[in-house]
Amino acid sequence: MKKTIIAALASLGLAACTTPASQKEESNQAPKTLVIYYSQTGATQKVAEEIQAQLGADIDSLVCDIPYDGTFQETIERCKKEMETGETPTIKPLNINLENYDMIFLGYPVWFGTYAPPVAGFIKENALEGKKIVTFCTFGSGGLQSSTDSLKKALPNCEIVEGYGVRNARIDKASEEINRFLIEWGYKEGEIEALPAFMEHRPVTEAEAAIFNQACGNYQFRLGDPVDVAVRETAQSTDYEFTAKSPNEETLSTIYVTVAKEGDTTPVFTQVIR
């Protein structure tokens, strides 16, 4: 059920022996990387700056000409209107030249299950064809997969790669998780513990249902009832992959819950995939 995507950066091919030395050096250079993001509350900015620091990449932010500086409800109403009409906010000029970058880590908060409208403004106003774009996002419950799929449709001439997502409630875990993500996908060198696969799904026990309810019970929206689960053990935690039936019993979702083995052992859910 869970998608496991393992990607590696493609190495630039060596020039033929007749190629001048200056061209050889140019052909062996690693792709130049940019981290660019939109952040409403500062959470996505923290993730962006962590990725930038770990990669040593350049960084810039998306700033709207008309900022989303109203109340929470006003922001929701504006976002809904823009999504319904196809209107996109205009973005102030960037501080960098996008032509200088081969790979872009593009970050955003997830609003209504997809990337926030300022990202729509960014991709509308800028030529991105042929670039590799790695997504990262912050969210209340989930949205990495759905927002990445939306970007693939919006940018068919780009290589869009699903990257890293984190709940706003777990932003303090981002640094360690980003390190793992960047190494696993080959964006930086390093060694990490290989995570085991989840075991096969089976019916949920009463104890596991209690873990699910403890992790999800305080979330502002009811996430459903667990019907089956797969478990894996790591050195740091016990992880659960629950299948949950929605409150209206019409749809199923996958909800990931983790329980640390040291420190705060309160069960927490990490994301929902609908």
Side-chain angles (χ1 to χ4, degrees):
M1 295 178 60
K2 182 181 178 184
K3 299 178 181 178
T4 301
I5 309 174
I6 302 177
L9 286 174
S11 299
L12 297 177
L14 292 176
C17 60
T18 57
T19 304
S22 60
Q23 292 185 26
K24 285 185 180 181
E25 291 175 1
E26 183 178 352
S27 68
N28 288 327
Q29 289 178 351
K32 193 170 183 183
T33 302
L34 171 69
V35 177
I36 194 163
Y37 68 94
Y38 172 74
S39 186
Q40 175 73 2
T41 64
T44 308
Q45 180 180 355
K46 290 181 180 179
V47 176
E49 291 175 345
E50 184 64 36
I51 293 174
Q52 183 270 333
Q54 292 199 30
L55 289 178
D58 294 340
I59 191 168
D60 201 359
S61 63
L62 304 179
V63 180
C64 298
D65 282 329
I66 302 176
Y68 292 79
D69 56 2
T71 64
F72 176 73
Q73 189 59 39
E74 288 171 341
T75 297
I76 289 178
E77 293 302 322
R78 175 181 169 182
C79 180
K80 287 172 62 177
K81 179 182 177 181
E82 289 171 339
M83 295 178 72
E84 290 170 357
T85 63
E87 178 186 1
T88 57
T90 56
I91 306 299
K92 292 184 181 298
L94 301 174
N95 298 312
I96 47 81
N97 184 353
L98 288 172
E99 293 183 359
N100 295 334
Y101 300 93
D102 306 289
M103 182 163 59
I104 298 174
F105 283 74
L106 178 60
Y108 46 83
V110 172
W111 293 358
F112 293 96
T114 190
Y115 49 83
V119 173
F122 165 69
I123 63 178
K124 180 179 180 180
E125 297 172 15
N126 294 276
L128 299 170
E129 289 79 5
K131 296 188 183 297
K132 180 173 183 176
I133 297 178
V134 182
T135 60
F136 67 93
C137 61
T138 56
F139 45 74
S141 61
L144 173 62
Q145 293 78 13
S146 57
S147 62
T148 301
D149 288 343
S150 295
L151 276 170
K152 289 178 180 179
K153 294 176 182 178
L155 295 170
N157 296 320
C158 293
E159 180 186 358
I160 310 295
V161 179
E162 183 182 303
Y164 171 74
V166 63
R167 289 184 63 212
N168 293 312
R170 300 182 63 256
I171 204 72
D172 61 316
K173 304 295 184 182
S175 178
E176 180 179 349
E177 292 179 351
I178 288 169
N179 177 65
R180 167 173 287 279
F181 156 67
L182 293 175
I183 294 174
E184 278 185 336
W185 287 55
Y187 298 125
K188 79 171 192 178
E189 295 182 354
E191 296 183 359
I192 52 174
E193 172 200 10
L195 294 178
F198 282 94
M199 294 184 287
E200 291 187 8
H201 278 252
R202 53 171 173 70
V204 175
T205 66
E206 288 187 8
E208 290 164 343
I211 289 172
F212 177 92
N213 291 330
Q214 189 175 2
C216 305
N218 292 330
Y219 187 61
Q220 57 183 322
F221 304 110
R222 187 160 176 261
L223 297 178
D225 300 306
V227 293
D228 63 47
V229 66
V231 183
R232 73 177 178 194
E233 297 286 343
T234 76
Q236 293 78 31
S237 63
T238 302
D239 301 330
Y240 300 85
E241 184 182 70
F242 287 99
T243 302
K245 186 176 292 185
S246 64
N248 59 15
E249 298 192 348
E250 293 182 355
T251 59
L252 296 175
S253 59
T254 301
I255 300 178
Y256 293 93
V257 171
T258 187
V259 181
K261 292 182 176 179
E262 295 182 359
D264 185 357
T265 58
T266 304
V268 295
F269 81 88
T270 60
Q271 68 168 323
V272 179
I273 300 178
R274 295 180 174 86

